């Protein structure tokens, strides 16, 4: 792995702190200091206007625009949808003594910014030295509310050192920011107006007609003489603040955003009225009111989800940052959302969700916020009709879930990925199974769950074929999770996952025949599912081809993988990475080199089904061939290394997991956060060092401890109970913090966990 | 093969005749009635203006425009070049009694058009019934000169039946026709002017700056009062013809076109002067002068290249049409040209040349016009620098010839074809070998030939890899000639062809060490080729992996092909064809179905190296799996079927070869002719029924005769001698028509062929 930390930020257990302004690093910091509440997200850009390099990004989950793409062939898409950059609701311009504030131009000192994990507040402070003399200390604060998804709030405070005069402020709402990737603005304003002190607008995306209502009000301790102004896509107020030497002044801007996802559900007037109803709840609310509410929210979160690490302040900060961003990205309070690869922090990957959601992110939510886990599954259910349609487009039956999507439609314009990667559907099946196993939500399973499983089974039946030599069933012309092998046959991961899907579908059918026969009958009638199909699926599962070499115990990634020319990945020069940029495209695909775990991935997902010897054999074969070009890759390897007792290696793979963005390891944090990798960092600690296994009959823990750590602890929510696991260099303590006692295995021994807890000595071979 | 003849044209041994005007079929006829002389080509469009559906196409070999394409990855192209639609030098408008002639609007009768193979003339006649009363018979005639590539001539004759009045004519040169695929015109006019009676223009393509000089003069028996006119891209004259009842009138337009290929080699003025020098040769020349010259030219062609078929008037016409169009497309009189898939007859395939040139077209030229064959090879030599550059782009060494090109640069924007199909280079190597074997042109071989071979060997060395299991060398991540198998390993065709290339390169090196050591030394010094490289190539050739099943004697098309799921291609519904349009793109690639011969192709190219049993085994395996989605496919199968004594099958595959366009079998002749398939039709007769084999030590013939034929004969030019082969149902007569006696094998027996000829009875098993 050719990854080097870019150490820059201050280490602090409960905050991210930057102590100087570096224009060259501004975009990276904008990503890191992003705020969000799953409904909306806003990058840490300078809201006062900035003439330097900046990505002014303000996003709303599920608000999308559309672009045409070159559809060369049948079954390839002709348009794709992407998350659209929306209103700059923080828009502000500040001038004093005829000088406009602009971090790229103005003379400033004592710059500092801070993102506080306990309050959720992002704050910037600096001293502004006016060219005509005089210095003003400015403090920018903002919050995106976790208790009301529509609410954002901004506060700007001025403190004069020796300046005596006016500060002119223009602030409002701006629909004119460009979408950088498209190189243009994608909004038209349908309506502008006022209601009491509030000024508002309704914007609409030019192609898709997605609508967004936005309104703001200004509050200040002083009496302000605000003068409204309106431009085509901009509405706000101008006012002046009087600042005497040594004096201070400030104002608060409270904003309500209300998105009308999808196409024109509401008329503009309805949207306007609905939006103002939300706004009317906040008459008289102050910044401190919201800050208090927000702090209370985060206190609850840390009680149930904190991870503590002793003796490693950098990873302590890193993992808290990960947990903080995961909650900001998704928490299941709003229906119909998914998790984009970059969350709501940038345009890269177009705001699209991949298989990462179910495969890498879901475990975090399953063990911290089961409601959010269900909400993620519901996204797939809501988009089932799109998946059914997509399957028809590729000449198949059932439901074909898109490899990349914002609204359920396929939005990947690379046919080799969109048409050949079939792992989203099996990931959805796995997620339903995992959710059922851990949460036991039968109403979901017997309703949305089984319906998806049936349509998925139909798809994996129709897409597979029988091999004339093997006499077995499998998938031809596919790309597995390892994207460095294109159009292969019998990708082992896919074959196994499809086999599991068929088996689980049949198991749920059997369970429902016992537990909910009427419900089952109604559903199968509606879908026209037949007993013949069940028999077929059983037959396919039984006859699924699994490429496996008995002698070496190594699974073959796909037909012929063992015959691929070998390359020693350590001989690839560092400057060749990332290979996608530096190697001719076709060259990537002709080695026994893998981009990210493929065989190891299914061995992770169903880890309790494989022996230690099998894991060792496959890890020894595949790990040296992996170049980790996906940021999701190292954590899975770290988890295996921990289990195999290779503690140094485990720590090496873990090293940059929690700080991938804080230290900008991949040199592309400027484009947005690696949100789904953040979830892998959590898995790395809980499944890796914590040795948690959640795919067996019972939840298991076999903790180890890295050599550099003095101790660590984490919490998970399991069957409604918050379970606390504390690991020192001597022992492991597991106890419940709330809820009923639960059963689990600790180092293979069955334990009943209650508030008193269970203590076990840590085995010598688990100490790094 | 889901192909049905659309019988429409009249059957005539020496002409194509259409006896009514069918607007719905107009584009098909425009393609069929195309004229060309390799330098320029013009579709059979109505030059008088036509408001119906028409593709007004006028092309100049090698004149190209450029467009940007989406380069997603390194090694994929970012712009491509295509043949540009150029000046309409036939531009004419005709009106009488205030009415404009327009086949889509005017009332006409007795429409007939005719393309004469003996004169090369395209003629249209019809009666025009004026709405105000009165009928005028009109005859349009045109020629594209085979003796002066720059010359085109047009004659329009009017005969009044009962019309008494004027006919207004506007005629000239028009640079404004749109390029249909691009939806816009791609020319700007740099200069307009006159020189004596001639009016001329210099046009320039907007992006690439390719220039074209064009000029015309009007000749008539009557005295014409011409009034010049000029518009931005149009220049011409207006004049009136006086037509009394029963009288006649007419005029001739003589045009000189002079293209300045490539970028701005000449200044506009130089081009203008050069063009007019050519024009000045034609002072006083009449239409009949050119017609006489043209007829003489075609008489010579038919003497050396005619194929006669007794008892099958449709194929008689068909094969003559093929030969006629092959000469029109290419004849080696102008350097630097190649053969586009549609010749100069339409925009489809963008005017690009593929491997078809060396693989399907070259044999025709080798046996009819060796000068043209050399000229085709010289095209590859001239574009060697592009191929060297392209190899660097894909991280390889040596020369990587493009899969699709107009000027030597890669112009295929589908990476899966451009980056994975490596068969052009081996086809070039094969062509050099074949040319040397048949023509023995040592100066070429020891100069351009060996230089290409060396650079090709370097490429096929750098692109290949060693298989860890086979311990052999081969090509990974490729697409063979069968484009229904994407990104495969060890494509048997490619491995064999590369092995042959290495071996031939080494053989030529050895020959040169004996015959031309100084030349060799100078070249290898210049290229820096080393003995080490020679040893490597010998090693690679020796260790090339050839997937072959000894028991069945079947070559495996690529690794794992025998494991591909089987599909009975006969069960595919007719309406599913072509599969590219009707099947999801990815679906095409996951069966043991082949699009066109792949294993059978190398067995055809090196046919004398395989046993009858091997051919039978491979034909029996691959033929039922082939859907012939390429029009090049059936002829190769027909040739094998003939050899294997399956005469019915041979005839069935042949059935539409000669009439593919005349009967519009593929339903897309409207886009242009299947020029390279036309060459395959020639091979089908000469290699198939004629049983010619040109890859062995000696030229061989083992003729058979289809059941429906009474007899046939064909000529080939071999080592300067025109050899005439006549086959009846009883015997075969081979004699020379001119030149020295030559040695060849007839039914395996060595014969010396002179003017007296050799007669052999046709074996019973060779009679269909």
């Amino acid at each position: 792995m050719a990854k080097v930390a870019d150490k820059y930020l201050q280490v602090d257990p409960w905050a991210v702190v930057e102590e100087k302004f570096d224009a060259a690093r501004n975009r990276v910091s904008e990503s890191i200091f992003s705020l969000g509440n799953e409904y909306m997200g806003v990058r840490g850009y300078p809201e006062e206007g900035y003439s330097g390099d900046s990505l002014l990004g303000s996003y709303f989950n599920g608000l999308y625009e559309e672009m045409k793409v070159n559809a060369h062939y049948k079954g390839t898409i002709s348009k794709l949808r992407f998350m659209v950059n929306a209103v700059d609701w923080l828009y502000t311009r500040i001038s004093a003594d005829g000088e406009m504030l602009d971090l790229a131009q103005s003379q400033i000192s004592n710059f500092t910014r801070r993102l506080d994990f306990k309050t959720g507040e992002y704050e910037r402070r600096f001293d502004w030295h006016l060219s005509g003399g005089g210095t003003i200390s400015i403090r920018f604060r903002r919050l995106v509310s976790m208790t009301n998804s529509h609410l954002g709030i901004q506060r700007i405070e001025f403190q004069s050192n020796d300046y005596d005069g006016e500060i002119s402020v223009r602030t409002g709402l701006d629909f004119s920011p460009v979408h950088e990737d498209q190189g243009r603005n994608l909004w038209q304003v349908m309506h502008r107006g006022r209601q009491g002190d509030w000024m508002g607008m309704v914007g609409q995306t030019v192609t898709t007609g997605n609508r967004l209502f936005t309104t703001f009000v200004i509050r200040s301790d002083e009496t302000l003489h605000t003068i409204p102004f309106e431009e085509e896509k901009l509405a706000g107020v101008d006012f002046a603040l009087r600042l005497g030497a040594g004096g201070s002044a400030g104002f608060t801007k409270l904003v309500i955003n209300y998105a009308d996802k999808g196409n024109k559900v509401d008329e503009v007037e309805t949207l306007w009225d609905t939006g103002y109803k939300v706004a009317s709840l906040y008459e008289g609310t102050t910044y401190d009111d919201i800050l208090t509410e927000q702090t209370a929210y985060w206190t609850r979160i840390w009680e149930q989800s904190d991870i503590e690490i002793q003796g490693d302040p950098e990873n302590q900060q890193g993992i808290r940052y990960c947990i903080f961003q995961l909650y900001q990205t998704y928490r299941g309070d709003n229906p119909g959302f998914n998790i984009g690869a970059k969350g709501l922090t940038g345009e890269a990957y177009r705001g699209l969700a991949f298989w990462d959601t179910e495969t890498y992110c879901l475990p975090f939510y399953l063990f911290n916020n089961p409601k959010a886990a269900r909400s993620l599954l519901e996204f797939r259910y809501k988009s089932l009709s799109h998946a059914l349609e997509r399957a028809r487009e590729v000449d198949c039956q059932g439901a074909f879930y898109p490899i990349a999507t914002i609204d359920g439609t396929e939005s990947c314009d690379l046919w080799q990925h969109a048409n050949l990667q079939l792992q989203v559907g099996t990931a959805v099946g796995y997620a339903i199974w995992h959710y059922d196993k851990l949460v036991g939500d039968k109403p979901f399973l017997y309703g949305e769950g089984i319906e998806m499983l049936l349509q998925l089974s139909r798809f994996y039946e129709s897409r597979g074929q029988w091999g004339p030599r093997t006499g077995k069933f499998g998938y031809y012309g596919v790309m597995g999770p390892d994207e460095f092998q294109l159009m292969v046959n019998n990708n082992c991961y896919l074959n196994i996952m499809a086999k599991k899907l068929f088996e689980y579908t049949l198991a749920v059918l059997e369970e429902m025949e016992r537990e909910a026969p009427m419900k089952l009958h109604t559903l199968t009638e509606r879908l026209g599912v037949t007993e013949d199909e069940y028999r077929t699926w059983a037959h396919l599962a039984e006859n699924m081809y699994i490429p496996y070499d008995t002698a070496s115990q190594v699974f073959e990634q796909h037909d012929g993988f063992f015959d691929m020319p070998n390359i020693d990945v350590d001989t690839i020069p560092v400057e060749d990475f990332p290979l996608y940029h530096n190697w001719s495209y076709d060259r990537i695909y002709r080695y026994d080199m893998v981009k990210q775990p493929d065989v190891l991935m299914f061995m992770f997902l169903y880890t309790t089904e494989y022996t230690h010897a099998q894991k060792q054999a496959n890890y020894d074969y595949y790990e040296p061939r992996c170049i980790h070009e996906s940021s999701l890759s190292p954590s899975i390897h770290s988890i295996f290394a921990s289990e195999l007792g290779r503690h140094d290696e485990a720590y090496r793979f873990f090293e940059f997991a929690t700080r991938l963005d804080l230290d900008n390891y991949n040199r592309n944090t400027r484009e947005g956060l690696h949100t789904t990798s953040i979830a892998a960092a959590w898995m790395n600690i809980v499944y890796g060092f914590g040795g948690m296994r959640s795919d067996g009959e019972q939840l298991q823990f076999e903790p180890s401890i890295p050599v550099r750590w003095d101790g660590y602890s984490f919490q998970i929510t399991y069957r409604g109970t918050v379970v606390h696991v504390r690991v020192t260099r001597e022992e492991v303590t597991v106890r419940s913090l709330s809820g009923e006692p639960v059963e689990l295995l600790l180092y293979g021994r069955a334990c009943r966990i209650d508030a008193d807890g269970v203590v076990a000595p840590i085995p010598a071979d688990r100490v790094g």
Side-chain angles (χ1 to χ4, degrees), chain A:
Chain A
M1 292 189 295
K3 299 182 195 296
V4 182
D6 178 12
K7 299 284 180 197
Y8 171 75
L9 300 167
Q10 305 306 304
V11 176
D12 182 302
W14 287 105
V16 181
V17 183
E18 182 180 1
E19 293 202 333
K20 68 171 183 197
F21 182 72
D22 178 352
R25 232 192 101 106
N26 178 52
R27 279 202 186 213
V28 178
S29 292
E30 284 178 355
S31 298
I32 290 171
F33 290 93
S34 288
L35 290 186
N37 65 3
E38 101 174 336
Y39 187 86
M40 57 181 168
V42 65
R43 287 169 57 83
Y45 60 85
E47 63 247 58
E48 69 276 18
Y50 179 64
S51 62
D53 185 31
S54 167
L55 178 62
L56 194 163
S58 164
Y59 310 105
F60 289 80
N61 208 326
L63 272 204
Y64 58 81
E65 253 297 349
E66 202 167 82
M67 62 185 268
K68 283 191 182 154
V69 292
N70 205 342
H72 272 298
Y73 310 105
K74 182 172 183 290
T76 62
I77 65 167
S78 56
K79 59 186 183 182
L80 63 78
R81 291 172 173 172
F82 58 88
M83 184 171 74
V84 62
N85 192 10
V87 67
D88 174 15
W89 52 268
L90 293 159
Y91 175 91
T92 303
R93 295 293 179 269
I94 293 164
S95 56
D97 197 17
E99 189 178 336
M100 178 81 84
L101 176 61
D102 174 357
L103 285 179
Q105 304 288 336
S106 306
Q107 207 195 326
I108 61 158
S109 65
N110 293 324
F111 180 92
T112 174
R113 55 179 146 190
R114 178 183 169 90
L115 175 62
D116 192 305
F117 307 152
K118 286 186 168 173
T119 63
E121 184 184 58
Y122 167 42
E123 177 191 19
R124 271 185 310 145
R125 292 165 181 265
F126 53 86
D127 294 337
W128 179 21
H129 308 286
L130 295 166
S131 52
T135 297
I136 306 166
S137 298
I138 315 186
R139 183 181 183 198
F140 291 89
R141 306 164 72 187
R142 61 173 92 152
L143 290 165
V144 173
S145 171
M146 297 295 272
T147 47
N148 183 331
S149 296
H150 304 283
L151 177 68
I153 193 161
Q154 170 189 27
R155 180 158 174 81
I156 306 180
E157 295 163 4
F158 305 92
Q159 164 77 45
S160 167
N161 297 333
D162 49 6
Y163 177 72
D164 189 344
E166 276 196 345
I167 294 179
S168 302
V169 176
R170 159 166 284 212
T171 192
L173 309 165
D174 184 10
F175 265 113
S176 66
V178 298
H179 189 89
E180 190 171 67
D181 182 56
Q182 294 282 305
R184 62 194 175 108
N185 174 267
L186 297 163
W187 291 90
Q188 49 193 331
V189 170
M190 309 302 286
H191 191 63
R192 274 191 306 266
R194 276 178 258 175
Q195 198 141 327
D197 294 339
W198 297 78
M199 283 185 84
M201 284 196 282
V202 173
Q204 179 173 299
T205 55
V206 291
T207 316
T208 50
N210 280 204
R211 284 180 183 158
L212 178 64
F213 165 82
T214 179
T215 188
F216 78 97
V217 69
I218 298 294
R219 303 261 159 79
S220 176
D221 290 341
E222 291 105 282
T223 311
L224 296 180
H225 298 286
T226 59
I227 304 163
F229 70 91
E230 292 187 9
E231 294 176 12
E232 193 199 336
K233 298 183 183 179
L234 176 67
V237 291
D238 287 309
F239 58 86
L241 291 168
R242 171 77 212 155
L243 202 62
S248 63
F251 69 95
T252 295
K253 183 163 113 196
L254 205 144
V255 178
I256 297 296
N257 293 308
Y258 197 95
D260 176 23
K261 275 207 326 171
N263 289 9
K264 299 162 196 151
V265 178
D266 293 337
E267 291 303 307
V268 171
E269 298 73 33
T270 322
L271 186 59
W272 187 265
D273 294 344
T274 314
Y276 270 116
K277 257 182 220 133
V278 180
S280 68
L281 302 174
Y282 292 90
E283 295 299 340
T285 304
T286 66
Y287 187 87
D288 284 341
D289 293 342
I290 303 298
L291 182 63
T292 305
E293 214 172 76
Q294 192 85 337
T295 307
Y297 181 92
W298 281 109
T299 303
R300 278 199 312 282
I301 295 302
W302 294 117
E303 275 167 16
Q304 78 191 33
S305 297
D306 189 26
I307 292 182
E308 278 188 283
I309 301 174
Q310 283 88 39
D312 188 347
E314 297 200 339
N315 279 310
Q316 173 64 82
Q317 179 185 37
I319 189 62
R320 286 209 178 106
Y321 181 71
C322 292
I323 295 167
F324 181 80
Q325 285 295 356
L326 281 168
Y327 271 98
Q328 286 211 126
T329 303
Y330 202 82
R331 57 205 175 93
D333 281 359
N334 294 279
F337 291 161
N338 205 321
I339 301 174
K342 302 261 163 202
L344 302 166
T345 68
E347 295 178 8
Y349 290 103
R350 299 192 173 119
L352 304 176
F354 299 79
W355 74 316
D356 309 14
T357 298
E358 283 79 8
T359 314
Y360 286 90
C361 300
L362 192 71
F364 173 82
Y365 296 103
L366 282 174
F367 286 104
N368 286 283
N369 183 354
K371 183 180 78 169
R374 175 173 173 149
S375 189
L376 284 173
L377 291 173
E378 276 171 350
F379 174 89
R380 298 297 185 184
Y381 183 72
K382 280 186 217 302
S383 63
L384 185 57
S385 62
H386 290 306
L388 294 169
E389 196 182 322
R390 177 77 185 135
R392 294 310 89 75
E393 283 171 19
V394 300
D395 301 343
C396 286
Q397 303 302 309
F400 180 26
Y401 280 104
I403 191 69
T405 192
I406 187 161
D407 70 331
T409 60
E410 180 60 75
S411 281
C412 175
D413 60 334
L414 304 171
W415 66 263
Q416 60 271 40
H417 293 273
N419 291 47
L420 307 188
Q421 291 203 280
L422 313 182
Q423 78 249 35
V424 175
T426 57
V428 171
Y430 179 85
I432 296 169
W433 170 81
H434 209 189
Y435 176 67
D436 178 40
K437 176 177 274 295
L438 295 172
V439 181
D441 179 353
K442 295 301 177 188
F444 176 82
L445 181 64
Y446 297 165
E448 296 95 325
I450 185 64
E451 186 170 346
M452 287 192 276
L453 290 171
L454 290 169
Q455 297 290 19
L456 283 167
S457 292
R458 282 175 160 174
F459 175 74
Y460 289 95
E461 175 191 341
S462 67
R463 181 58 169 78
Q465 291 163 280
W466 291 87
R469 293 237 158 160
T470 59
K472 297 278 191 176
F473 193 73
Y475 296 90
Y476 291 78
V478 298
M479 186 196 281
D482 168 21
E483 296 173 327
F484 279 0
Q485 303 287 332
L486 192 152
M487 195 161 264
V488 301
N489 304 326
N490 287 310
N491 169 254
C492 191
Y493 175 91
L494 186 63
N495 282 15
I496 281 189
M497 294 301 285
K499 177 184 167 75
K500 289 286 188 184
L501 176 81
F502 289 134
E503 287 169 352
Y504 180 54
T505 303
L506 295 169
V508 176
L509 287 170
E510 211 177 290
E511 179 181 322
M512 284 184 75
E513 268 160 29
R514 276 196 322 273
E515 307 293 335
M518 286 293 291
K519 230 172 164 170
L520 179 61
H521 182 72
T522 311
L523 179 69
T524 54
E525 280 281 293
R526 175 158 69 79
L527 302 185
V529 195
T530 66
E531 295 278 341
D532 267 2
E533 291 185 81
Y534 303 163
R535 275 189 293 273
T536 302
W537 299 338
H539 184 63
L540 299 184
E542 205 173 313
N543 288 281
M544 188 67 74
Y545 179 61
I546 309 299
Y548 180 64
D549 181 61
T550 317
S552 65
Q553 302 196 58
V554 177
F555 290 92
E556 188 168 20
Q557 191 176 301
H558 57 76
D559 286 350
F561 185 86
F562 292 153
D563 297 330
M564 291 301 288
N566 178 251
I567 184 169
D568 178 351
V569 299
D570 293 331
T571 64
I572 302 173
V574 172
E575 58 272 20
D576 281 14
F577 297 99
L579 298 187
Y580 277 131
H581 295 169
N582 299 303
W583 279 28
S584 175
Y585 185 60
D586 56 286
R587 182 179 168 203
I588 292 170
Y589 298 109
R590 44 184 204 254
Y591 294 97
D592 64 348
M593 169 176 70
V594 306
K595 181 189 170 210
Q596 62 192 94
D598 195 292
V599 162
L600 292 181
M601 198 65 211
F602 71 76
M603 296 187 83
F604 167 69
L605 295 176
Y606 293 103
T607 190
T608 60
E609 299 188 12
Y610 300 98
T611 65
H612 188 273
Q614 281 179 315
K615 288 177 191 173
Q616 194 160 294
N618 284 277
Y619 183 85
D620 284 346
Y621 183 85
Y622 287 106
E623 186 280 318
R625 287 171 169 79
C626 185
I627 68 155
H628 308 285
E629 197 138 306
S630 163
S631 61
L632 301 168
S633 179
S635 293
I636 300 300
H637 285 82
S638 179
I639 293 168
F640 275 100
S642 274
E643 177 170 348
L644 296 172
R646 301 176 189 185
H647 300 298
D648 282 356
E649 207 162 297
Y651 195 82
R652 201 150 36 75
F653 280 123
F654 166 72
E655 221 158 24
F656 74 97
T658 71
R659 299 186 62 85
L660 179 61
D661 288 313
L662 291 182
D663 293 338
N664 194 17
Y665 274 95
N666 281 13
R667 295 292 182 273
N668 60 359
T669 293
R670 64 200 313 278
E671 300 173 0
L673 300 178
H674 295 77
T675 304
T676 51
S677 298
I678 276 174
W682 180 88
M683 288 208 291
N684 202 152
I685 293 179
V686 175
Y687 282 88
F689 303 132
M692 183 171 82
R693 296 293 175 262
S694 56
D695 66 301
E697 283 302 306
Q698 276 193 288
L699 194 67
Q700 309 176 26
F701 291 92
E702 302 201 359
S704 60
I705 184 163
V707 66
R708 306 196 202 175
W709 291 4
D710 299 325
Y712 66 102
S713 64
F714 59 87
Q715 279 110 268
I716 56 154
T717 300
Y718 177 54
R719 302 204 165 143
T721 295
V722 178
V723 177
H724 183 269
V725 179
R726 162 135 194 82
V727 185
T728 66
R729 302 198 68 78
E730 292 77 34
E731 60 184 26
V732 176
T733 312
V734 184
R735 64 197 173 91
S736 73
L737 298 186
S738 70
E740 295 298 302
V742 289
E743 304 282 331
L744 49 75
L745 297 176
L746 183 60
Y747 295 119
R749 197 164 52 83
C751 303
R752 187 164 178 282
I753 305 299
D754 56 20
D756 294 340
V758 172
V759 181
I762 193 162
D765 65 356
R766 309 298 299 152
V767 180

